[in-house]
Amino acid sequence: MSPGTDPAAPPAAAVAALRDLGDAELIRRVADRRQDALGALYDRYAPLLLALTRRIVGDAADAEEVVQETLLQVWAQASRYDSRRSSVATWMVLLARSRAIDRLRSRRVRERAVDAAGDETQGVHTSPEGPAAVWYEERRARVSSALAELPQEQRHVLELAFFGGLSQREIAETTGIPLGTVKTRTQLALRKLRQSLRGEIDELL
Amino acid sequence: MSEPEVDAGVEAAIALLEAAPGDLGPQLAEADEAAAALRRQPLGALTALAWALPPETPPPQLRERLLARLSGDETQMVSAALLLGEPPPGNDLQPGAGTGAAARSATDGAAPLRAAERAAPRPGIAPAAGPQGGAGKRPAARPSPLPPRPAMPARRWAWPAVAALAAALIAAGALCLSLWRELEGTRERLRQQAADREALAATLAELERERPRGEELQGQLAALREQLALVTAVTTEVCPLRPPARSPVVPDARGLLYVAADHQHWYLRAQGLQPPGDGRVYHLWFVVGDTPVSAGSFTLDGEEAALTSPTMPEGTRAALVTVEPESSLGERPSGPVVLYGSELSRLL
């Protein structure tokens, strides 16, 4: 939605002012029942959330519904958000992931998550204009680089857990890898990511 | 954080992922402080998996559907307000009822409450009824206008008044003519004096210009020497700037950012740029962390531009050039990225 062309859209100055606010301030405004603040969060994170939910559920319509439900949950629970526990981005990502996995399980197509675990080429690669897109791509490049440094087997179990919603035991049963090995690989992957993305985590958190 | 604490944090993050996903929000919010602190970094690391995905632009109707669902909660208040002929309750994203959304301020957090108050009947403004209303009349919302005054008889005094007015006008005209002639004479003298002053001032200004010209040239020469020293120093770092890979605004644009060894003095040279458009300028930003810091605007000399400064924010990891409105530059970039360079984080 472009504020300059839609007569129902808020003034461009108001939109620009919201765009300059940090995530924490936007969440505070959402807690104050400010729909424009939720709209600003949507504009900021919808591409990320949609990519994530699409990656998990596979179906575009389901992914869009999950994104919508996530934002509605943010609307409902904004007053309970605590910045000391996670960043807004992490909170929203985990909410979206949670709902997407819920959707996935309800459709009983878990095998799609396993098959899609190595597929990162799905999705529409469109880049919105402006610095936000450039920074997004830069952050994605840095994060991808850190993930690429993980041994493939560690990354695989991490993706099964994160995108597939599988428990460690379920990963072991699905892949045939011993449970102890799954746990070890997951721990090592998280420790390594935590170390290599220390700077990013400070921003993400 | 100690190794056992790192392990505990990792375990806590994994446990959170494996928890029933139905109501993650409260789980994230209600975990004890210690567990939350331990799993904070591993959780952040996990979200890296999401950040690594290519972003997907959602369809426009998704945003509309979301806002429509949010607005559904206010439908009753809107209906009640509309029945009274009032504008709908404040909501910055709702279409204004002809008054504009800007009229409902950004701090209108109590809009639903005020709408409810408006919906309640106000004392003292009751619909007209009983003796005033009558059987066939609608209740009056405003007092009826006063009956018009009867017209004054005009013909008896019109001609004397016209004659007096004409005489006054003629007299005024004669006076004005006299004053105008005198004024013109004075103006001519003043014009001549002003012309003489201008000529003298021009001569003085020319003399003034010549004197500092040498100083100016010396200053320019010194600045050019500094720039040359910066560009040619073996300790200077060079960061290339290129158009964004996707949707480049000016595909042929290129830039080089020279950064001195002190990581303060810098010199930007950009080429291949096109005029940014009426009322717009190119603007350089340094990126510190995730925060853009303004570094200055520049104009073109043909297709090239240069900008320099002795200060660069500490922790600068990237630089970008955007097109911005000349008269309303904000604290963050608002226009498209023309050039971008992220090698500063490696160089500095």
Side-chain angles (χ1 to χ4, degrees):
Chain A
M1 178 181 294
S2 171
T5 59
D6 185 350
V15 172
L18 284 171
R19 197 166 53 210
D20 290 344
L21 295 178
D23 289 350
E25 177 58 30
L26 285 178
I27 282 291
R28 273 193 288 273
R29 295 190 180 202
V30 171
D32 287 341
R33 318 312 286 166
R34 291 280 306 276
Q35 289 192 15
D36 56 347
L38 188 72
L41 278 178
Y42 172 94
D43 294 336
R44 192 172 292 181
Y45 289 112
L48 168 67
L49 300 181
L50 186 59
L52 171 63
T53 57
R54 179 85 181 265
R55 175 68 171 77
I56 294 174
V57 302
D59 179 71
D62 282 349
E64 292 171 10
E65 279 192 29
V66 171
V67 170
Q68 189 178 161
E69 291 168 7
T70 302
L71 270 293
L72 290 173
Q73 186 174 0
V74 169
W75 176 256
Q77 297 181 350
S79 58
R80 304 169 68 181
Y81 166 74
D82 187 347
S83 62
R84 294 170 298 178
R85 302 179 187 279
S86 74
S87 69
V88 172
T90 294
W91 184 51
M92 293 179 69
V93 164
L94 293 178
L95 287 179
R97 172 194 171 271
S98 169
R99 289 194 163 273
I101 290 174
D102 238 0
R103 181 70 64 104
L104 191 66
R105 290 177 178 177
S106 68
R107 280 165 37 194
R108 295 193 175 90
V109 285
R110 187 175 304 172
E111 59 275 10
R112 292 186 61 176
V114 176
D115 293 338
D119 179 13
E120 291 185 2
T121 60
Q122 65 175 319
V124 178
H125 296 220
T126 57
S127 177
E129 291 183 354
V134 177
W135 296 337
Y136 193 109
E137 284 301 316
E138 188 202 359
R139 171 174 290 173
R140 195 171 80 84
R142 294 202 301 269
V143 169
S144 297
S145 174
L147 284 171
E149 292 176 1
L150 290 178
Q152 178 58 30
E153 60 272 15
Q154 291 180 15
R155 180 171 179 174
H156 188 57
V157 296
L158 210 58
E159 289 177 347
L160 287 175
F162 188 79
F163 293 125
L166 303 181
S167 67
Q168 309 242 288
R169 185 171 299 280
E170 289 169 335
I171 294 174
E173 292 171 358
T174 304
T175 60
I177 303 171
L179 178 59
T181 305
V182 171
K183 289 185 176 180
T184 301
R185 288 180 181 176
T186 305
Q187 292 165 0
L188 290 174
L190 276 180
R191 289 172 66 94
K192 188 170 175 59
L193 271 183
R194 176 185 164 274
Q195 182 62 36
S196 58
L197 289 175
R198 186 180 295 275
E200 292 299 324
I201 289 173
D202 289 339
E203 295 177 18
L204 290 171
L205 291 182
Chain B
M1 193 176 286
S2 67
E3 288 300 309
E5 287 175 329
V6 171
D7 290 340
V10 167
E11 292 295 335
I14 295 172
L16 188 68
L17 278 187
E18 295 191 353
D23 196 14
L24 184 62
Q27 291 186 26
L28 278 173
E30 296 170 0
D32 63 270
E33 291 283 348
L38 284 177
R39 72 175 184 220
R40 186 181 174 93
Q41 286 192 346
L43 273 184
L46 271 176
T47 63
L49 288 166
W51 284 99
L53 296 172
E56 283 202 32
T57 303
Q61 56 268 28
L62 180 59
R63 195 179 198 274
E64 294 167 6
R65 290 202 304 265
L66 171 66
L67 298 176
R69 285 186 65 174
L70 287 178
S71 302
D73 292 342
E74 298 184 0
T75 300
Q76 289 187 351
M77 292 184 181
V78 172
S79 301
L82 287 177
L83 283 176
L84 294 176
E86 298 283 349
N91 177 335
D92 293 351
L93 293 178
Q94 289 292 326
T99 59
R104 292 180 288 281
S105 73
T107 59
D108 191 9
L113 180 59
R114 287 204 287 274
E117 290 172 348
R118 284 198 294 272
R122 291 178 285 180
I125 306 181
Q132 290 181 348
K137 290 188 178 178
R138 301 170 60 185
R142 290 175 292 184
S144 57
L146 293 172
R149 288 184 177 182
M152 297 286 288
R155 299 192 62 177
R156 277 188 295 177
W157 55 266
W159 286 113
V162 169
L165 182 60
L169 286 173
I170 291 170
L175 180 61
C176 285
L177 183 61
S178 170
L179 290 174
W180 178 79
R181 285 176 178 161
E182 187 177 341
L183 184 61
E184 278 302 303
T186 304
R187 281 178 177 164
E188 183 57 36
R189 286 195 298 276
L190 287 173
R191 272 197 290 266
Q192 187 59 48
Q193 288 175 0
D196 293 339
R197 275 201 302 274
E198 283 181 12
L200 286 172
T203 305
L204 280 172
E206 190 171 352
L207 290 172
E208 281 296 316
R209 275 197 301 270
E210 292 301 320
R211 188 163 58 86
R213 179 67 178 160
E215 296 173 358
E216 180 185 348
L217 287 173
Q218 286 183 356
Q220 290 179 0
L221 186 59
L224 286 171
R225 282 177 175 156
E226 279 188 20
Q227 293 168 14
L228 181 62
L230 190 155
V231 169
T232 57
V234 294
T235 53
T236 293
E237 306 283 2
V238 183
C239 172
L241 276 65
R242 300 182 185 88
R246 294 193 179 90
S247 306
V249 178
V250 187
D252 295 331
R254 293 292 184 273
L256 284 177
L257 180 67
Y258 299 87
V259 183
D262 62 359
H263 297 170
Q264 288 294 301
H265 291 77
W266 56 267
Y267 174 74
L268 168 71
R269 186 150 190 87
Q271 296 176 317
L273 294 172
Q274 302 298 321
D278 292 340
R280 297 188 172 275
V281 293
Y282 289 107
H283 198 88
L284 174 69
W285 307 82
F286 291 128
V287 182
V288 181
D290 203 21
T291 303
V293 179
S294 173
S297 298
F298 56 87
T299 55
L300 296 183
D301 181 9
E303 289 188 354
E304 299 187 357
L307 191 65
T308 187
S309 169
T311 55
M312 174 179 281
E314 187 177 349
T316 295
R317 63 171 182 81
L320 55 91
V321 174
T322 63
V323 178
E324 302 293 337
E326 187 171 8
S327 59
S328 59
L329 181 68
E331 292 185 357
R332 294 176 75 98
S334 64
V337 175
V338 176
L339 291 169
Y340 179 76
S342 61
E343 295 187 19
L344 287 171
S345 57
R346 176 179 61 82
L347 299 175
L348 302 184

